[in-house]
Amino acid sequence: MKRMLEAILAANMSGRSVMLCTIVARRGTTPRGVGTAMVVDQIGAQSGTVGGGEAEHLVKQDALVLLRENASALRSYAIHPGEGEGCAVSGGEIEVLFRLFKGESGRKLVERALDTINREEGYLVCSIDHGTVGETEVVPAWAAKDDPALKPFLNAAPVLGTEEPRRFIEPLYPPPRAVILGGGHVAKALVPVLAQLGLRVWVVEDRDTLCDPSRFPMAERVLSEVQERFLDELELTERDAVISMVRGRGIDFSVLDAALRTRAGYIGAIGSHAHAKKMRDQLLSRGFSKEQIARIHSPVGLDIGAESPEEIAVSIAAEWIACRYGKEKTRK
């Protein structure tokens, strides 16, 4: 969402009207899910994708027509078998919400949404009354939780409500953060992969030779800190990740101990199967339950036969994606 809003703001600041095209519902199998969006401006520039293929082409053409008409809309598009970026698609339908952003009012709305992402949490809410698209507004999280029309749907966002007027609710959350502990070869390869996925990547390294921001140009922050102590002071959410590249030096166990005391939704630790078992046994003796220890993915990354730092980085990113969408198989 943040990237789409930034694209809208950039076009708006250049004097161009913009259409935000968002999938709000789908039926059957489709390349992309609810909440997927793309931005089309009045000169035809596009950011993002709603799945490619003929359906995306039609969405873009309709966006350009609606831009000329200064109108918003809600429309449906068939997805034919084999169409789009996911060629395994067997066919379905997507419902796309077109929202016009133009002039000062559009700029202010986007700025409020970006400010909400950067400073707090909230939701972008659009009212749709029997097919007629109404206003979009930014609703702070505390206000949304107090609104009986919004509260039942918040945990499922992005989601389109079922009762008229229907409301499409999108979360305005900061991008997830990945805290990489250790600045070695795998960390160097992993930073750009995670950054390309939209994560805010922090590298934490206590060795001066590896704690060099020039090694990690795509990291949001490179910090010279003692890793386990740093985690104690960091407020992580379920959307965030902790990935330990720490080997030995007597601190790898302490790092995992500290990581389990955070709310991080993904915890990964490099190491062999034997070392992972040793760490789990130590954590059990420290008083952590088996359920708590099961949060740790170690050896980190999907088992794809990765050997080089670049291959390991891909396997870690793939495992994080699988966990994010609830697709990872239970470890034995």
Side-chain angles (χ1 to χ4, degrees), residues 182-253:
H185 296 300
V186 175
K188 184 179 179 182
L190 182 59
V191 169
V193 176
L194 295 181
Q196 289 286 348
L197 292 173
L199 283 83
R200 298 174 295 141
V201 187
W202 290 18
V203 179
V204 184
E205 174 58 73
D206 61 356
R207 292 169 289 181
D208 292 338
T209 55
L210 298 179
C211 189
D212 181 355
S214 66
R215 283 174 54 82
F216 309 101
M218 296 184 72
E220 183 177 83
R221 298 183 69 180
V222 179
L223 302 161
S224 178
E225 301 278 354
V226 177
Q227 287 99 334
E228 66 271 30
R229 295 178 188 171
F230 178 76
L231 286 180
D232 290 341
E233 302 169 358
L234 199 60
E235 292 186 8
L236 297 175
T237 73
E238 290 82 359
R239 299 188 299 278
D240 298 324
V242 174
I243 304 169
S244 174
M245 298 286 114
V246 176
R247 294 176 183 266
R249 294 194 290 140
I251 63 173
D252 42 358
F253 169 73

Side-chain angles (χ1 to χ4, degrees), residues 143-199:
K145 292 174 182 176
D146 287 340
D147 188 332
L150 300 180
K151 184 177 180 180
F153 301 99
L154 298 183
N155 289 336
V159 63
L160 180 63
T162 55
E163 296 183 4
E164 299 290 348
R166 295 190 294 171
R167 292 175 174 84
F168 181 59
I169 306 166
E170 298 168 279
L172 294 174
Y173 296 155
R177 176 170 41 185
V179 180
I180 301 176
L181 306 173
H185 296 300
V186 175
K188 184 179 179 182
L190 182 59
V191 169
V193 176
L194 295 181
Q196 289 286 348
L197 292 173
L199 283 83

Side-chain angles (χ1 to χ4, degrees), residues 94-144:
I94 56 174
E95 197 167 5
V96 177
L97 173 63
F98 294 85
R99 282 172 286 182
L100 176 66
F101 291 80
K102 60 177 293 187
E104 184 178 3
S105 61
R107 176 181 59 80
K108 287 184 176 180
L109 177 60
V110 173
E111 288 176 341
R112 285 198 300 274
L114 286 170
D115 187 63
T116 298
I117 289 175
N118 293 328
R119 297 168 63 90
E120 56 181 330
E121 294 184 355
Y123 299 88
L124 201 62
V125 180
C126 180
S127 179
I128 306 169
D129 192 356
H130 295 87
T132 299
V133 178
E135 295 296 321
T136 295
E137 59 180 330
V138 175
V139 182
W142 61 266

